């Protein structure tokens, strides 16, 4: 294991994330401009598509990082039956959820690593709904648009805040840390749609673990020590396909779980660059 990965086992993940949380919201002009300029330059961020194209006009680094886009910068798939990609980034892995000998659904991570749907969701009964389903894992880099959008129309049923570590989700770490996405702190969003249940899992990461939703605001932090469930059925919150559903205050990973009634497109493969609204299948 590389030293940079091994060190992550020893670092105080949540303490570092708290420091970065406040540092990225500091509005002192020299500080926030330094952070913004560094990211724009090092990651070749395309500001032309931003609603506010002047990077120094943002009040804080976090405001820049979660920037809105100009109308029309992203569009929903032309086919109303298609699954819309929920995030900008790169597909880390995608494919069938494979059942092992015990019948438990498994998701491929990288280089021989996999993890169970049950541990990802923190719920064995929910996991059974995806035994013959599909998954897509999308990695967001610092240059990407960091708002999440709905892959399908759906009614919010439940959110589950699952506690855990905050390992980096960069490719180097994903290839080295077993069950990484089932170990990191995450917010699981369960929806009911036309073809059955689907889930959008927003996975936190080292230094970048803050997650918000449009229906409840800031979800992480605070960090959790036990699984926290919220039942939203009485609120009857319905979001249409392509509608904004949440955001990462910094980058991370989104895992989309789909029922067996849906299938992925041939182009939905590991390594593919994708953007919000690209068709993933149907």
């Amino acid at each position: 294991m590389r030293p940079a990965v091994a060190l992550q086992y020893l670092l105080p993940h949540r303490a570092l994330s708290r420091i970065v949380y406040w540092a990225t919201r500091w509005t002192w002009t020299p500080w926030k401009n330094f952070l913004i300029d560094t990211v724009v330059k090092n990651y070749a961020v395309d500001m032309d598509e931003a609603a506010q194209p002047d990077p120094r006009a943002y009040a804080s680094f976090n405001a820049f990082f979660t920037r809105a886009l100009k109308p029309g910068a992203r569009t929903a798939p032309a086919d109303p039956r298609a699954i819309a990609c929920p995030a900008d980034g790169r597909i880390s892995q995608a494919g069938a959820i494979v059942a092992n000998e015990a019948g438990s659904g498994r998701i491929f991570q990288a280089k021989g690593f996999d993890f169970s749907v049950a541990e990802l969701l923190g719920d064995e009964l929910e996991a059974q709904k995806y035994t013959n389903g599909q998954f897509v894992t999308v990695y967001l880099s610092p240059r990407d648009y960091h708002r999440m959008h709905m892959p399908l129309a759906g009614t919010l049923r439940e959110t589950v805040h699952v506690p855990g570590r905050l390992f980096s989700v960069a490719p180097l770490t994903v290839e080295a840390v077993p069950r990484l996405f089932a170990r990191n702190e995450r917010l699981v969003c369960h929806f009911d749609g036309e073809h059955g249940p689907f889930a959008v899992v927003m996975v936190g990461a080292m230094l970048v673990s803050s997650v918000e939703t449009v229906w409840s605001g800031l979800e992480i932090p605070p960090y959790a020590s036990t699984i926290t469930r919220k039942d939203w059925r009485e609120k009857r919150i319905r979001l249409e396909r392509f509608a904004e559903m949440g955001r990462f205050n910094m980058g991370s990973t989104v895992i989309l779980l789909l029922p067996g009634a849906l299938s992925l497109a041939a182009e939905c493969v590991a390594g593919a660059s994708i953007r919000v609204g690209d068709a993933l299948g149907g």
Side-chain angles (χ1 to χ4, degrees):
M1 183 179 292
R2 297 187 181 185
V5 175
L7 180 62
Q8 292 184 42
Y9 283 88
L10 304 176
L11 291 174
H13 291 185
R14 291 182 177 178
L16 290 172
S17 286
R18 287 188 180 97
I19 292 171
V20 172
Y21 179 90
W22 292 112
T24 55
R25 286 160 176 76
W26 193 13
T27 58
W28 186 48
T29 299
W31 170 252
K32 63 96 175 176
N33 283 350
F34 166 73
L35 293 181
I36 293 171
D37 291 347
T38 299
V39 169
V40 170
K41 178 181 178 180
N42 290 347
Y43 292 95
V45 177
D46 182 6
M47 294 302 297
D48 289 339
E49 65 179 11
Q52 171 50 269
D54 179 3
R56 292 194 167 192
Y58 293 92
S60 67
F61 179 79
N62 187 66
F64 152 77
F65 215 85
T66 58
R67 60 194 175 274
L69 300 183
K70 293 176 180 176
R74 301 289 183 273
T75 56
D79 185 347
R81 299 167 298 177
I83 304 161
C85 182
D88 279 17
R90 181 179 61 81
I91 295 178
S92 175
Q93 297 293 339
I97 296 172
V98 180
N100 62 14
E101 293 179 358
S104 177
R106 311 287 299 184
I107 294 174
F108 180 65
Q109 178 175 303
K111 290 191 173 181
F113 294 146
D114 66 1
F115 54 92
S116 74
V117 179
E119 58 185 341
L120 176 70
L121 301 181
D123 192 315
E124 182 67 50
L125 291 177
E126 285 291 339
Q128 293 176 9
K129 299 176 182 179
Y130 301 101
T131 300
N132 297 311
Q134 309 285 328
F135 79 95
V136 182
T137 303
V138 180
Y139 166 67
L140 291 78
S141 77
R143 68 164 292 162
D144 293 315
Y145 170 60
H146 280 79
R147 300 190 183 193
M148 308 300 109
H149 290 246
M150 292 289 288
L152 299 162
T155 300
L156 181 65
R157 175 164 36 90
E158 182 182 45
T159 58
V160 184
H161 179 183
V162 185
R165 299 297 303 275
L166 291 169
F167 288 103
S168 166
V169 293
L172 177 67
T173 311
V174 171
E175 294 174 358
V177 177
R179 301 172 38 258
L180 186 149
F181 298 123
R183 298 168 74 168
N184 272 18
E185 194 128 11
R186 54 205 178 274
L187 182 72
V188 181
C189 304
H190 292 289
F191 294 92
D192 291 320
E194 179 183 355
H195 300 285
F198 64 93
V200 181
V201 184
M202 304 171 72
V203 183
M206 183 173 288
L207 308 183
V208 291
S209 60
S210 181
V211 174
E212 295 182 30
T213 61
V214 298
W215 56 82
S216 187
L218 189 65
E219 300 274 3
I220 307 173
Y223 301 108
S225 57
T226 58
I227 290 178
T228 304
R229 303 178 186 276
K230 295 180 181 179
D231 188 332
W232 293 94
R233 286 173 291 186
E234 290 188 359
K235 298 293 184 180
R236 298 181 181 178
I237 298 171
R238 178 176 173 80
L239 298 174
E240 297 303 319
R241 186 187 68 157
F242 190 64
E244 183 181 336
M245 63 161 288
R247 66 183 66 174
F248 283 116
N249 297 318
M250 297 284 278
S252 198
T253 291
V254 175
I255 301 177
L256 173 62
L257 302 184
L258 299 164
L262 297 172
S263 59
L264 299 179
E267 299 79 15
C268 189
V269 295
S273 294
I274 40 87
R275 304 202 309 175
V276 166
D278 287 351
L280 297 180

